[in-house]
Amino acid sequence: MTAVLFDFSGTLFRIEPTESWLRAALDEAGLALAEAELARAALELERVGALPGGMAPRAPMPDEVAAVWGIRDESAELHRAAYTGLSRLVPLPDPALHDALYDRHMSPAAWQPYPDAAEVLRALRERGVGVGVVSNIGWDLRPVFRAHGLDPYVDVYVLSYEHGVQKPDPRLFKTACTALGVEPRDVLMVGDDRRADGGAAALGCGVHFVDHLPAAQRPDGLRPVLDLVG
């Protein structure tokens, strides 16, 4: 393999827990909830799937959200509309909090690299292996990589909202391969979503899956990539 493509959420980084996400937005807005109410609201936000990168929705979606859910990663506007639409299913003390929650999830502080992410990316760079990040997302994740010191190890970012195409469409993986100057047969795609990230196989890329777990529960899930690359 001459290059490795990585997914972002659930692969290289993990989003903060829902309760921490809500608490940070409340603090930023100068608002407070009783602990029991905060915990209840966090559970409801999790149930409806309002946290991007968090749990998938486990509740019925409003028609207006359902209409864009499948294509939410094709533009920044659709992404925000989908997730704030889910958030608004949960009553909060100020309606402005729904946009504040969305903004919070884009901040570097909301994301934690998996424990072995830096080690693996650094080793790939030392071996001369190209690295790309291919993500279904509605916002610019580059500041997250910069803030956590991982940007120097990434050669190419291919983000769905910047191209109007989302995984598993092979075109997104092809864009990354072209940018890296490599043939798909020489590329390994690493991700946590068998459907979305597995789309790279249609292009001829190798595919390797990791488990989407809290960071503390997956300390070395990325290290097998180094053996696969050789």
Side-chain angles (χ1 to χ4, degrees):
M1 298 292 180
T2 58
V4 180
L5 306 179
F6 289 94
D7 175 50
F8 167 56
S9 175
T11 300
L12 289 174
F13 282 84
R14 172 77 179 200
I15 191 66
E16 66 186 331
T18 309
E19 188 168 317
S20 300
W21 175 55
L22 176 57
R23 193 182 299 276
L26 288 165
D27 289 346
E28 181 68 21
L31 298 170
L33 284 174
E35 286 300 310
E37 181 62 16
L38 188 149
R40 184 205 63 78
L43 284 174
E44 281 299 296
L45 287 165
E46 188 169 290
R47 186 179 71 87
V48 302
L51 173 58
M55 298 285 289
R58 305 193 304 276
M61 292 183 187
D63 290 344
E64 62 271 20
V65 176
V68 301
W69 184 253
I71 56 170
R72 65 191 181 279
D73 297 311
E74 292 184 5
S75 77
E77 295 76 17
L78 290 171
H79 197 267
R80 179 181 283 271
Y83 283 103
T84 57
L86 293 176
S87 175
R88 289 189 176 94
L89 297 175
V90 180
L92 294 174
D94 184 339
L97 277 170
H98 300 292
D99 278 307
L101 282 168
Y102 186 86
D103 293 340
R104 163 67 187 183
H105 106 273
M106 295 187 289
S107 69
W111 295 89
Q112 178 184 5
Y114 278 93
D116 56 345
E119 170 195 337
V120 169
L121 292 175
R122 186 183 307 113
L124 291 172
R125 172 53 54 90
E126 290 170 353
R127 296 181 188 185
V129 176
V131 170
V133 172
V134 182
S135 178
N136 278 353
I137 199 165
W139 50 277
D140 186 4
L141 52 71
R142 294 172 183 86
V144 175
F145 280 77
R146 288 196 291 268
H148 290 279
L150 300 188
D151 179 67
Y153 307 122
V154 179
D155 300 296
V156 171
Y157 295 93
V158 177
L159 311 181
S160 61
Y161 84 102
E162 293 182 337
H163 298 273
V165 176
Q166 60 186 38
K167 298 180 292 187
D169 192 316
R171 289 178 293 173
L172 207 62
F173 305 107
K174 178 61 174 175
T175 297
C177 292
T178 300
L180 287 167
V182 294
E183 293 296 324
R185 63 177 179 272
D186 298 323
V187 174
L188 179 68
M189 175 67 206
V190 181
D192 67 299
D193 188 320
R194 278 159 173 74
R195 178 181 177 273
D197 299 314
L203 197 63
C205 300
V207 180
H208 176 70
F209 297 110
V210 295
D211 294 323
H212 189 157
L213 294 171
Q217 295 178 27
R218 210 195 76 194
D220 54 6
L222 292 167
R223 289 196 183 110
V225 171
L226 299 177
D227 295 328
L228 292 169
V229 171

